[in-house]
Amino acid sequence: MAVQPAVLAIIGPTAGGKSALAMAVAERLDGEILSVDSMQVYRGMDLGTAKPSFAERGAVRHHLIDQVEADETFTAARFVETADGVIAEAGARGVPLIAAGGTPMYFKALFHGLFEGPGADEAVRERLRAETGEALHRRLGEVDPEAALRIHANDQRRLIRALEVFELTGRPISELQTTWEAPLDRHPAVWVGLTWDRSELNRRINLRVRQMVEAGWIEETRRLMERFGGLSATAAEATGYRLWIDHLGGRIGRDDAIEQIKIATRRLASKQIKWFRRFPDVHWLDGAAPVETNAEAVIALWRTARGEG
RNA sequence: ACGCCAGUAGCUCAAUUGGCAGAGCAGCCGUCUCCAAAGCGGCAGGUUGGGGGUUCGAUUCCCUCCUGGCGUG
């Protein structure tokens, strides 16, 4: 007998209606939502990350939102650890869990697993960061030729990680990394994706960016800056916040910032689409269809997979 | 109307005294295993505003027209 899925995964590009669909499905299945989003984990970064409202969070329980302060660091590994706990606990209660979000890396890590290895070591990284990419690449070539072949000499971030793993374990990273070609089966799940016509999605992105600004995104950034003085390196990677920090510092005009945010968001959507379309066994639905229609289709898939015909 | 400045890739700009027209950003493709809304690699992109002239050779010098900006009337 096949394993009954305990998770319903909803993937798709930003501004594509994942949250609305997840809400609709969660309400009908009496389920809870697991946010698979690398930026909604930061407290106070609400408007810019399109975080669900307090009303929505009151109606349906959300997990993996507001995990740390905006001046702290959050990682894929920490996401997996926390999400594993949420899935186990919801499973024990018999509650359906809807994993929805736009961070492909987190989906990969959660359902495929990260390799067993050492975590980040800031001291080691700091030391390696001082070296040139060429020096790092040469050194990696000596201890792990296979990884050196894959990682470009300019890709300092990955060179540092590979050398960090070698220093900490004495084993090459290429030997430790498990294959990501296998099915995404760490947690049995039903996979649903939303597809979009690109120009239609771009229209939605432009509209949403404008709405976020009108809702007070710049003020939100100002509050974070007053509170922390700056965002952590990871939090600052969120689209938009860095532009607003520059805007508040008088380095860029409001309209220019908005334009750049629209561009960055379009690029984000493009990258998400490219990652997600390689995920196996996804039931793709038209994102432009009414939420009710898609919710019904998703619930039907879910019931079938669970043998609840 | 006259004078000055500018016009080069979708955008912002480069191009030694005339010598194969380049870069950043955007776009497209790819990559991604503890920072991933990040990072990295690649590709494509032009009748140099139009027309004429000088020259072996013009984005560059000359003439003319067009467009935009500034100044004076």
Side-chain angles (χ1 to χ4, degrees):
Chain A
M1 186 184 122
V3 191
Q4 220 187 28
V7 180
L8 173 62
I10 299 179
I11 60 179
T14 188
K18 294 183 300 292
S19 303
L21 179 58
M23 276 298 291
V25 171
E27 280 177 338
R28 282 173 221 203
L29 292 179
D30 218 4
E32 297 176 5
I33 291 177
L34 169 63
S35 164
V36 185
D37 188 297
S38 63
M39 294 302 159
Q40 290 185 356
V41 298
Y42 298 105
R43 281 185 213 112
M45 291 171 63
D46 302 334
L47 290 165
T49 64
K51 211 177 271 180
S53 67
F54 286 106
E56 288 170 319
R57 286 193 253 174
V60 171
R61 188 169 170 197
H62 284 68
H63 301 273
L64 266 295
I65 283 177
D66 290 349
Q67 298 292 294
V68 296
E69 298 299 335
D71 65 341
E72 295 179 89
T73 295
F74 198 83
T75 65
R78 182 154 171 201
F79 171 80
V80 173
E81 193 186 322
T82 314
D84 278 348
V86 170
I87 291 172
E89 190 261 350
R93 284 186 289 131
V95 175
L97 206 53
I98 294 117
T103 304
M105 169 70 172
Y106 281 16
F107 273 108
K108 277 275 197 187
L110 179 59
F111 288 91
H112 223 137
L114 296 166
F115 69 92
E116 295 289 328
D121 186 323
E122 260 319 304
V124 174
R125 290 187 181 189
E126 188 113 8
R127 175 161 45 75
L128 294 173
R129 257 196 288 270
E131 299 186 41
T132 67
E134 263 179 42
L136 295 171
H137 195 247
R138 204 174 315 120
R139 183 124 53 86
L140 185 62
E142 287 160 18
V143 302
D144 187 352
E146 194 184 325
L149 212 60
R150 274 207 331 267
I151 305 172
H152 193 275
N154 289 347
D155 195 350
Q156 205 182 30
R157 197 178 275 204
R158 256 165 273 278
L159 289 172
I160 288 174
R161 173 59 181 160
L163 287 167
E164 173 187 51
V165 168
F166 183 77
E167 283 194 22
L168 265 29
T169 65
R171 295 176 64 193
I173 192 171
S174 60
E175 187 182 297
L176 293 166
Q177 286 177 337
T178 55
T179 174
W180 263 11
E181 301 306 314
L184 302 161
D185 56 5
R186 263 184 92 239
H187 301 285
V190 173
W191 289 82
V192 173
L194 294 176
T195 60
W196 279 93
D197 169 73
R198 203 55 161 275
S199 54
E200 179 62 27
L201 184 65
N202 287 346
R203 263 195 291 281
R204 284 174 61 103
I205 287 170
N206 292 344
L207 179 67
R208 191 169 78 166
V209 169
R210 222 174 312 137
Q211 288 170 341
M212 286 158 113
V213 175
E214 277 161 21
W217 191 0
I218 303 175
E219 280 309 307
E220 178 177 289
T221 309
R222 190 200 304 276
R223 282 197 297 277
L224 289 167
M225 290 306 286
E226 281 166 2
R227 175 133 182 242
F228 300 114
L231 304 175
S232 70
T234 43
E237 287 174 354
T239 299
Y241 287 92
R242 188 175 293 156
L243 269 314
W244 293 130
I245 290 169
D246 283 347
H247 171 66
L248 292 169
R251 291 181 291 279
I252 183 174
R254 189 184 126 107
D255 291 347
D256 285 345
I258 289 175
E259 212 42 49
Q260 287 195 36
I261 289 171
K262 287 179 184 171
I263 290 168
T265 308
R266 263 181 259 142
R267 272 173 41 129
L268 165 62
S270 167
K271 284 180 81 166
Q272 289 170 316
I273 289 167
K274 283 172 191 167
W275 264 88
F276 284 139
R277 72 180 164 212
R278 280 192 302 252
F279 278 35
D281 306 319
V282 177
H283 298 91
W284 292 101
L285 302 174
D286 178 11
V291 178
E292 323 301 328
T293 310
N294 280 339
E296 271 169 38
V298 170
I299 288 167
L301 285 165
W302 174 252
R303 296 227 155 104
T304 304
R306 306 246 299 178
E308 296 169 2

